[in-house]
Amino acid sequence: GKTASLDALPDGAKVAVPNDTTNEARALQLLAAQGLITVRDGAGLTATVNDITDNPHNLQIKEIEAAQLPRTVQDVDFAVINGNYALAAGLKISDALASEDANGAAAQTYANIIAVRAGDENSPKTQALLKALKTDAVKQYIADTYNGAVVASF
């Protein structure tokens, strides 16, 4: 975006966020965690722009389809972009002005999981898959491949 750091954020800055319910809430919570806005208590992961109770920088929140955010970042001061779209666009987490806390409610709620049919959770195949995935080698692969944009939660 046009702003190089959150400290240099001008009043009235244009901020692009995803327009879908889940990711918009996560974006607003990230902005709130950075002290840029205040979101109504209890809004949590269902927050919308209507839940913003304080906006000291008079940010202009632009709701945009999540997949389009990387294409619009040059037109705004900054954008809150989903990791998958940021990675696909060649953006790096190391260049981000801020990122979601891996231990935060949003990251924990929307972590990828292994799901199986009821009754198969203890099958030898499922247990073998879980054992193979929950290794230091897989953690290291995730760290090396995604450079912090994806974080192992096991």
Side-chain angles (χ1 to χ4, degrees):
K2 298 175 184 176
T3 300
S5 77
L6 295 179
D7 295 334
L9 189 67
D11 280 347
K14 292 179 184 174
V15 180
V17 300
N19 68 353
D20 62 281
T21 305
T22 301
N23 292 307
E24 180 175 39
R26 290 176 77 175
L28 295 175
Q29 294 298 344
L30 177 60
L31 295 175
Q34 303 307 308
L36 299 176
I37 61 172
T38 302
V39 176
R40 178 184 57 79
D41 284 343
L45 297 177
T46 62
T48 69
V49 293
N50 295 326
D51 293 305
I52 297 173
T53 58
D54 190 30
N55 185 353
H57 296 283
N58 298 310
L59 300 179
Q60 296 178 44
I61 308 290
K62 306 292 183 187
E63 298 166 296
I64 297 173
E65 200 276 322
Q68 298 303 315
L69 287 167
R71 294 181 181 164
T72 63
V73 73
Q74 296 173 18
D75 300 324
V76 295
D77 288 281
F78 67 91
V80 181
I81 304 174
N82 304 53
N84 56 319
Y85 296 122
L87 288 170
L91 301 174
K92 298 176 187 167
I93 189 77
S94 59
D95 294 333
L97 302 181
S99 62
E100 193 171 64
D101 181 357
N103 295 313
Q108 294 299 310
T109 300
Y110 297 111
N112 292 325
I113 61 168
I114 304 297
V116 297
R117 288 184 303 241
D120 286 345
E121 57 273 3
N122 293 316
S123 77
K125 289 180 183 180
T126 300
Q127 291 304 308
L129 176 62
L130 290 172
K131 182 178 179 182
L133 289 175
K134 292 183 171 185
T135 64
D136 289 339
V138 170
K139 268 189 182 178
Q140 191 61 51
Y141 172 82
I142 291 169
D144 293 346
T145 303
Y146 300 106
N147 298 312
V150 175
V151 180
S153 62
F154 55 88

